[in-house]
Structures are given as C-alpha cells and as structure tokens.
Amino acid sequence: MKLHVLGCGDAFGSGGRNQSGYLVEASDRLFLLDCGPTTLLAMKKAGFDPRRLDVILLSHLHGDHFGGIPFFFIEYLYQKPRDNLLHIAGPPGTEEKVCELFRLMYGHATTAREIPPTSFHILHPEQSTIIEGIEVFGFRVPHQLQDVSLALKVSYGGKQMLFSGDSAWTELFIEHARAVDLFLCECSFYDSSTNNHVRYLDFQENLPRLECKKLVLTHLGEEMLARRKELPVMLAEDGMIIEI
Ligand SMILES: [Zn+2]
Ligand SMILES: [Zn+2]
C-alpha cells in the first residue's frame, strides 16, 4: 500500500504547499484522507484518474480539509462521469456541509443538477465503520470547541495507519499509534503557544513513547518549514510517496 502526499500544507498554504489531502493506493482500492481545495489538481498531477476514487474520508469539516469536494463533484458531473457510487465519510454534519458548500459554489449555475451519485457515511466517535472494505475508527481529538474533529485509524489489506487530522497533542495518540504501520501526525507549529494544533516541542517530548512503525509529520506551517532541515523526523512533502 502506498500513501501519496497530495497536500501537506496548513490552511494558509504555507511554503506554497497544497492543503490537506493524502491518497492511499491499495491493490484494489483508492481512497483519500481529507480533501482540501487543492486535492483534485494534485491528484491529476500525480497521474490518477479521479474516477478511480472509491472513498473520501474526512477528519473534520474545516475548509482546508473538505473544501475540495465540490471540484470532484463538477468533475464527475461535467467532465468524467463515474459509473459507480462515490463514498464520503466524515464526522456528523458531513452530508449537510458538503451539499451546502456545493450549492454555494455551483448551485445557481447548475440548478437542475444534483450532486453525482454519492453515499454519505457518518463516522461516530469511538466507533468502527466499514466502507467498501476499509475499516475506519475515528476518535475525537482536541481541535474544535463544538464541532467534532476526528483522528482516523484506518485498516485495509492487513495494514493500519493513524492520521491525526488537526489536533493539539493528546495522549490518545500514544495509545492509538501503537503498532500502526504509519502515523501521519499534524505538526503546524514549532514552539508557538496553541491549544488546537500540535507544537513540535510537545511532540518531541513524547517521541520516545510512540510505538508506530513509521512516522511522518504534516500540515506544516511556517515555523516548521523554517526548521525543516534541522529536525530529526520525517516531514511530508507534496508529491512524496510513502510505502506502508
Ligand atoms: Zn487544517
Ligand atoms: Zn482544522
């Protein structure tokens, strides 16, 4: 299984990096972790036909993580129609927000059109859901006050990965990263005080306790990019392919 980093930037496009999007390529499945506004173009740039996409998994409903879905919808409506259902799974409110965003962006020009054939799934915190054979366990992480932000533990084809989504550092990462093949962890800041994103200094303190097989930091902001050559951990790059 391979993970293609389509976007490892933060909400601000720091360093000219794309917004959140990771394409997982398994032998018979192609699925996304998050779908930021730059995801469709990055997927095409990486040489994938968007019609091959089976599932989009969303960690939370911030624009840099789900704002790219309307572009997939117009692709499927006007450029390359799909013959099968697209599955979209995310925290409670996903279907409403995705449809609302699509209407805001294209509703008036496409009044007669519905969205392309899509099946929505709710990822309830602390529950496992199986979508097209992909097992997803989401757990709530500290990022938003009211709306639900999830970290996603995804299992498929005998491999397992943990994606933090956006979150401040939490002990839950120690527990859920244990034995996973890949832990993809956001690290927006180096030392700035924040209570809704990981700071590298907090991460570093916990690094010896992490028992994952591979670790990559992502969702990198300016502070992290300025220090990227001196840090002893793997940092994501757009276009990077990670073997899982
Ligand atoms: Zn974000
Ligand atoms: Zn966020």
Side-chain angles (χ1 to χ4, degrees):
M1 206 150 77
K2 290 185 183 125
L3 182 135
H4 299 256
V5 177
L6 299 183
C8 63
D10 60 4
F12 314 107
S14 293
R17 293 175 177 222
N18 290 334
Q19 289 156 331
S20 194
Y22 309 90
L23 186 67
V24 181
E25 183 185 18
S27 55
D28 57 351
R29 287 286 179 282
L30 197 61
F31 59 98
L32 275 171
L33 304 176
D34 281 348
C35 187
T38 46
T39 303
L40 179 66
L41 69 89
M43 189 171 169
K44 289 185 175 180
K45 206 170 172 184
F48 289 94
D49 181 339
R51 284 176 298 190
R52 285 184 55 204
L53 189 62
D54 298 299
V55 180
I56 300 176
L57 302 173
L58 300 172
S59 62
H60 66 301
L61 300 170
H62 275 163
D64 55 316
H65 295 257
F66 91 110
I69 292 178
F71 301 116
F72 280 86
F73 282 0
I74 55 165
E75 170 84 7
Y76 300 143
L77 286 172
Y78 301 112
Q79 289 278 304
K80 292 185 173 167
R82 302 172 58 95
D83 339 301
N84 56 354
L85 272 178
L86 172 69
H87 294 264
I88 299 178
T94 292
E95 179 170 359
E96 294 75 7
K97 284 214 174 172
V98 166
C99 292
E100 191 183 337
L101 183 65
F102 185 67
R103 274 193 295 273
L104 278 170
M105 288 171 71
Y106 293 104
H108 294 299
T110 59
T111 42
R113 301 276 187 156
E114 299 290 330
I115 62 168
T118 304
S119 173
F120 286 94
H121 307 256
I122 297 176
L123 299 176
H124 293 286
E126 316 299 328
Q127 282 181 28
S128 277
T129 309
I130 295 176
I131 303 153
E132 295 293 281
I134 302 160
E135 185 178 351
V136 191
F137 177 83
F139 57 93
R140 204 164 175 181
V141 290
H143 178 57
Q144 299 178 93
L145 285 178
Q146 288 176 347
D147 293 335
V148 173
S149 281
L150 298 171
L152 303 175
K153 199 171 184 177
V154 181
S155 310
Y156 189 74
K159 301 285 183 181
Q160 194 168 52
M161 73 194 100
L162 173 63
F163 171 46
S164 67
D166 280 2
S167 172
W169 178 261
T170 161
E171 278 295 299
L172 293 169
F173 292 152
I174 301 286
E175 178 190 335
H176 289 288
R178 200 163 290 137
V180 298
D181 296 285
L182 171 69
F183 178 23
L184 186 61
C185 185
E186 81 115 293
C187 192
S188 301
F189 297 100
Y190 181 79
D191 57 1
S192 280
S193 163
T194 167
N195 52 14
N196 50 11
H197 287 286
V198 171
R199 302 187 318 153
Y200 185 77
L201 293 187
D202 297 329
F203 170 81
Q204 192 178 37
E205 222 177 277
N206 289 285
L207 185 56
R209 302 169 61 215
L210 281 171
E211 294 171 30
C212 48
K213 294 178 191 161
K214 200 175 267 186
L215 172 73
V216 179
L217 296 184
T218 191
H219 201 276
L220 306 165
E222 299 287 357
E223 291 180 4
M224 285 299 290
L225 294 176
R227 289 178 166 85
R228 69 181 183 276
K229 294 202 174 100
E230 56 197 68
L231 300 176
V233 285
M234 194 193 279
L235 302 183
E237 298 275 345
D238 288 0
M240 180 185 262
I241 300 171
I242 303 166
E243 281 288 342
I244 303 173

